[in-house]
Structures are given as structure tokens and as C-alpha cells.
Amino acid sequence: MNIPKIPLGAWVDSLVDWMTIALAGLFSLITNTIEGLLNILVDVMSVGPSIILIVILTLLVTYTSKWPLGLFTLISLLLIDNLGYWESSIQTLAIVILSGFLTILIGIPIGIWCAQNKTVRKVVTPILDFMQTMPAFVYLIPAILFFGIGVVPGIIASFIFAIAPTIRMTNLGIQEVPNELIEASDAFGSTTSQKLFKVQLPIATPTILAGVNQSIMLALSMVVTASLVGAPGLGADVYRAVSQINVGQGFEAGLSIVIIAIVLDRITQNLRKPAYEHIISRKLISIIMVVLVVGTALFTIISKEAAITGDKDNIGAQVDYEIIGIEPGAGLMKQTKTALEDYQLDNWQLVEGSSAAMVAELKKAIDKKEPIVVTGWSPHWMFSAYDLKYLDDPKNSYGGAENINTVVRKGLEQDVPGAYTILDQFNWKTADMEDVMVNVSGGMSPAEAADKWIKAHPDEVAEWVKGAKAGNGESIQLVYVAWDTEIASTNVIAKVLEQNGYDVTMSQVEVGPMFAGVANGSADAMVAAWLPSTHLEFYNKYKEDIVDLGPNLKGTKTGLVVPEYMDIDSVEDLK
């Protein structure tokens, strides 16, 4: 069909851009509020040694669900502490509790409104269908632009993803109240509010709590997804393990999430009818919990304010002592952690996320002329789009200039000699790669940008394919990480291989799986090995099982990057 494409994506981009500017004040208020509440929750749960919170949670589970489950909770939480995931568990608990609080605060009133108004129900129901079927990752994209990188977009995405069951079950519970009771309350002259709070809500409470329980479980299921935009906790530990193919760490962090899920599920399921309510009333337990939380919160707030010292105008205070990073498995992140140690930047935090989230946060800061420190590498299109500079690295924590190497599996030369020759001869310059990246950042698809570059540089491509045997539909599997540099190079070499008769498949993975895939033969090649520093750990781990064809691009650079308008020039200036 020759019908022009509807520019739906462009319309959505324009709407998001408008909202980012027009509602900046609102988004800033929401960000500050959520961050403040989350920090209070984390501080409250972090007061004193870990055993205090373990005992409190154990007693709470015992009260709601009898002593065997309480004993399980005690042993399980002690195991989490022993494995070294207690701080991450506290972060995860805080994120889930806050997301759950938001779903209750907003979801139950909307559910009541739906139950009392058919028109509202007809409007809200398809919106909930849309929210529940839309992939959770999609919510992260506008959330990054609206709220920046970190925990807030993760909480907002979790809230949107998890609120639907609370709304649906509140609506269902109220609608299922027997008509006889409604008629009886009307006969006694009850007002609408009296009927709601004294008849409908008490009867609908079990159904509503079931919806809240489902929402909390959905929020917990989002912790790994939220880690993609810098949310801390067990999700970040799982993501880091996946990136580095650390099976043990992944199992430990995953087990910790399962334990937290069981504890939260049992507490919320039995909250209405606790097992030992006949011994201690729910009202007394509620009062004790409120007093403990509020008292501890006030104590931590006062203690924090009293502990604030130092120059609030230095660069660290201006950026909240945060360096915006990329994927946790990237070698650049390991180099940055080394730099923090080398320069004794003990107060600084390296925020994990993704390269796309880092660029989005950088753009947001530059648009507002705000200070920001990010992990960066070149070639990268952001150096063409913005005035940026590397911070000097006098202690050489980042190891100087690097190359990007082509690495293939063993046996590729014998299986598909033509493809091997093309990959071996693939070599280009920084300016070539930047041409492709700039076109991609301007809205062109990677495949289109690669095709455009190939057509404009026939002499370079001719050198790559010189002497290479043409393919006959043989399958070639290329793997790459989601860095702009690797997206550019992989798409270009894939197009060249396709033009020479090969059936090419590209798979985007994390750094660890990229090396492992080539090493175990499930992938044929990659043109994305940053050596000798960034990917050295993975290269050393798999070097006996791969074939290194040498550099396809020389003279790359990594380090900390800031906008030109910032008055700092060295990593040492961050102290």
C-alpha cells in the first residue's frame, strides 16, 4: 500500500517535548516530593543495626500470618543480611512501599468513582486495558524526560504499571455489594457518604485489599525494569549480574526479591484478619507502627539537618554528588568506580542506568544550563550535538586512548571464509562512525543511516570486501551492546555482509552476554570490543575461546564529561 505513514511517533515526541517544558514546575515538584518521601522511608528502615528491622518485620508477619511464617521470615531476612543484600533490600522495600502507597492514594478513589458513575467507568476501563497491556519498558521513556534519571522515573513507571488492579478491584468490590443492603440503607435515609463508608466500603474491603495486594506484587515485579533508569535496590543487583553473567550474584539477588515478595504478600493478604488479633487488636498494632515510623522519621530528619556541613555551592552539592552512568556491566562503569577511589571522592555516587538514559539526562541539564557530570566516550554524537569536554585524568584512572576490536568465534574462518575476510578487513575512522551516529540521532533508523553511509563511501567498502568470497545465504549472527558507537558499526558491517550474500541477524545484548555468545559459538562475531581497558575483564575471561581480529577503529577515549559552561577542568576539581 502506498498510503503515507501516519507520523504518530512524531506527534507523541512533540507532545512529550511540550509537556517537558510547559509542566517542568509540576514535574520538579513531583520529583522532589517522591525523593523526599523515599529518603525518609529508607532512613527510617536503616536506623540502627539490621536486626532491628528484621525483628519488626518478623513480629509483623507473625501477627498477621501465625508463627511458622514468622520463623520463615526471620530465617529468610537473616539470610539476605548474610549474603550482603540488606541495603539493597531496604531500597527495594522503600520503592515498593511508596509505589503501593501511591496506588492506594490514587487508585481507590478512582475505583470508587468508577463504581458510582457509569460514564467514568466506560472511560476509565479502556484506559486501564491500555495501561496493563502496554510493555512496562515504554513507561520509562517519557518518565526519564519528565523526572530525570534515578529512582523517581522507576517509581512512576511502577505506579502506572501497578495501579490498574486496585482501581478494578475497588470498582468490582463496591458493585458486588448486595442490592438489599443498598436499599436498606436508602430506606433509613443514609446519605451517599454514609452509604459509602458504612455499607459499601466495609463489605468491599476484602476485594479492595486483594487488589492492593496485586498492585504491590506488580510494583515489586518492576524493580528490575526500574533499574534500567538508575533505580537502586535488588533490581539493580539483578541487572548488574545479567550484564556481567554472574550467575551466583543473580541467584542471590533474585532469591532476595522472592523473599521480599513472600513477606509483603503474606502481610497484605492477612492484614484484614490477623492471626493473633484476638490477643492484640489491630488498632493497637496500627498505633504502635505509626508512632514508630513517625518518631523515627522525625529523628532522622533532625539528625540529617544537624549533620549538614561543607560548602553548599561547590560542584558536588550542585549535582547532588552524582555521576550519571550507563549500563552496570560496562567497563566504563568499572573505570569510574576506580576513579572515585583514586581521587578519594567518597561522597560521590555513580548512578547506574543506560546509555540512552544518560544522554537524556545530559540533554535535559544542558537545555536548562544546569551542571551535570556524566560518564562519556568518544566517538559519540553527543560531542557533535553539544559543547562538551572531558575532565583531565592526571591519575590515568581511565587508561588513556583505546581501540574497538573485531572479535569472532573459533571456526568462523573455515565455515564462512568470505564473511570472515570482510570482518577481518573492516576498518574505519572516528569521523565515519560519527557520520552514522549523527544521522541516527537526527531521527534516521540505524539501518537507513548505515545504508546512506555505505552509498556515500564506496571506496572504503570496496577495501573491506576485497578478495572476499561472496556468500550464498549463509547465516551470520552479530551481537552488540546498545551503545551508539556499536549500533552504528554493527549496522554498517551487517549491511555490507548482506550486500555480499549473507543472511545477517543482529542481537542487542549486554557486555557479558556479548563476549559469552561469541565464545560459546551462539554468536558469530562482534565489532564492539573496547580494548585494552574498558572490556579487558571480559576479554581475559574468554580470550581462549575467541579470535581477536584486531582494531576496526583506533583512538577512542573514555572518561568523565561535563558541559563546557561548567567551570571545572579536572576530576580533581570534584573533591
Side-chain angles (χ1 to χ4, degrees), residues 43-268:
D43 291 341
V44 167
M45 290 190 288
S46 300
V47 169
S50 57
I51 191 64
I52 294 177
L53 182 58
I54 290 175
V55 169
I56 291 174
L57 289 174
T58 298
L59 292 175
L60 189 57
V61 172
T62 302
Y63 175 71
T64 57
S65 308
K66 295 189 178 181
W67 69 265
L69 196 59
L71 180 61
F72 167 82
T73 301
L74 176 63
I75 295 172
S76 299
L77 295 180
L78 287 173
L79 175 63
I80 292 177
D81 190 23
N82 175 263
L83 294 174
Y85 293 94
W86 185 248
E87 289 186 9
S88 295
S89 297
I90 287 177
Q91 292 279 358
T92 297
L93 269 173
I95 291 171
V96 173
I97 289 171
L98 186 53
S99 299
F101 171 73
L102 292 175
T103 60
I104 293 171
L105 187 67
I106 298 175
I108 291 179
I110 294 176
I112 293 171
W113 194 17
C114 289
Q116 295 182 337
N117 191 309
K118 288 185 179 180
T119 303
V120 173
R121 185 162 63 249
K122 289 179 180 178
V123 173
V124 171
T125 299
I127 294 175
L128 295 179
D129 294 338
F130 176 85
M131 291 167 59
Q132 286 189 290
T133 53
M134 178 67 73
F137 286 94
V138 176
Y139 297 127
L140 296 177
I141 303 171
I144 294 170
L145 299 175
F146 294 155
F147 306 104
I149 196 171
V151 70
V152 176
I155 289 177
I156 295 295
S158 299
F159 158 72
I160 295 172
F161 183 68
I163 194 173
T166 297
I167 297 175
R168 290 187 189 276
M169 298 300 277
T170 300
N171 172 39
L172 178 64
I174 293 175
Q175 284 188 315
E176 287 186 339
V177 174
N179 288 329
E180 294 82 0
L181 294 178
I182 301 297
E183 292 171 359
S185 65
D186 290 336
F188 282 101
S190 299
T191 64
T192 302
S193 60
Q194 287 175 328
K195 183 166 57 180
L196 175 65
F197 288 103
K198 295 186 177 182
V199 179
Q200 293 172 308
L201 285 181
I203 294 174
T205 296
T207 306
I208 294 172
L209 287 178
V212 171
N213 173 268
Q214 290 180 28
S215 291
I216 290 175
M217 292 300 103
L218 285 174
L220 185 60
S221 72
M222 278 287 290
V223 296
V224 177
T225 303
S227 69
L228 296 175
V229 292
L234 294 170
D237 292 323
V238 171
Y239 182 30
R240 194 178 302 113
V242 171
S243 301
Q244 300 171 350
I245 316 187
N246 191 328
V247 179
Q249 180 184 339
F251 179 80
E252 291 173 351
L255 179 63
S256 300
I257 292 175
V258 171
I259 291 170
I260 297 298
I262 293 172
V263 171
L264 291 176
D265 180 62
R266 294 303 179 267
I267 290 175
T268 53

Side-chain angles (χ1 to χ4, degrees), residues 149-150 229-231 321-326 333 349-354:
I149 196 171
V229 292
Y321 292 94
E322 289 183 346
I323 297 171
I324 307 303
I326 55 174
M333 295 292 280
Q349 177 188 1
L350 178 59
V351 180
E352 297 175 344
S354 66

Side-chain angles (χ1 to χ4, degrees), residues 547-568:
V547 178
D548 183 3
L549 300 182
N552 59 64
L553 187 144
K554 296 181 178 180
T556 67
K557 185 176 181 180
T558 59
L560 295 183
V561 175
V562 299
E564 280 283 359
Y565 56 74
M566 288 181 63
D567 190 23
I568 57 171

